[in-house]
Amino acid sequence: MHYNLDKSAQNVVQLLCARGLTLTTAESCTGGLLSGAVTAIPGSSGVFGCGIIAYANEVKEQLLGVKPETLAEFGAVSAECAAEMARGAQKTANTEVAISITGIAGPGGGTPEKPVGTVFLACINKNKINILHLQINSTDRHYIRLESVRQALILMLNTLN
């Protein structure tokens, strides 16, 4: 399956440039794919602050300020965790815009409550935050990760507009 993320990523970079905003990413299940999509675009160095790959819960806590209580009560794959990851990334990198992705890419790790393909995204622009819950109907790890990045780019465009 071929996914062309370039056009959406280009639109994000152009919009950030036009608005004079900077971006940081906080990724778990996508492992840097979103950061890679954004930094593949010429001119991204003017808007991209940093990308944090916070796969382990300890890293989510230490680098992004996710509260242990949030992880205990809601889990790493939750709207609450995604929101705290985005806020923490924004603060850590001192950028106006931050986006986070946390989910279950599979093929294992799913539960009846949170099956494989459950993904939460949060995008914050200054103080405005948008959260998206995806239920991607697939057990293909590669597809879930790419679809999460595609949806993250769309969420950023929607949050910025």
Side-chain angles (χ1 to χ4, degrees):
M1 170 175 292
H2 179 69
Y3 246 82
N4 188 345
L5 302 171
D6 291 350
K7 187 62 182 162
S8 294
Q10 184 177 21
N11 290 340
V12 167
V13 170
Q14 287 175 341
L15 195 51
L16 289 166
C17 285
R19 302 253 170 95
L21 301 172
T22 53
L23 168 71
T24 191
T25 60
E27 300 179 69
S28 186
C29 66
T30 50
L33 284 177
L34 177 58
S35 298
V38 172
T39 58
I41 304 304
S44 60
S45 60
V47 297
F48 190 77
C50 77
I52 300 166
I53 301 170
Y55 222 66
N57 285 350
E58 295 78 23
V59 176
K60 288 177 180 73
E61 291 177 26
Q62 293 166 9
L63 287 183
L64 298 173
V66 174
K67 297 182 191 97
E69 306 83 61
T70 300
L71 294 169
E73 185 173 349
F74 303 104
V77 179
S78 66
E80 293 81 2
C81 182
E84 289 183 17
M85 287 172 65
R87 284 190 187 98
Q90 182 187 41
K91 183 178 178 186
T92 296
N94 194 29
T95 59
E96 294 85 10
V97 181
I99 187 156
S100 67
I101 304 174
T102 184
I104 304 166
T111 66
E113 298 81 24
K114 294 179 186 177
V116 169
T118 303
V119 180
F120 289 90
L121 303 99
C123 185
I124 188 167
N125 178 11
K126 299 179 178 132
N127 293 319
K128 173 186 167 189
I129 190 163
N130 287 327
I131 297 172
L132 181 61
H133 174 202
L134 302 175
Q135 191 57 62
I136 302 167
N137 191 19
S138 177
T139 56
D140 181 316
R141 182 177 183 83
H142 186 64
Y143 175 78
I144 291 168
R145 295 173 77 219
L146 287 173
E147 180 62 15
S148 297
V149 170
R150 188 178 78 80
Q151 292 290 334
L153 292 166
I154 293 167
L155 180 61
M156 278 193 282
L157 289 170
N158 290 339
T159 302
L160 291 168
N161 281 321

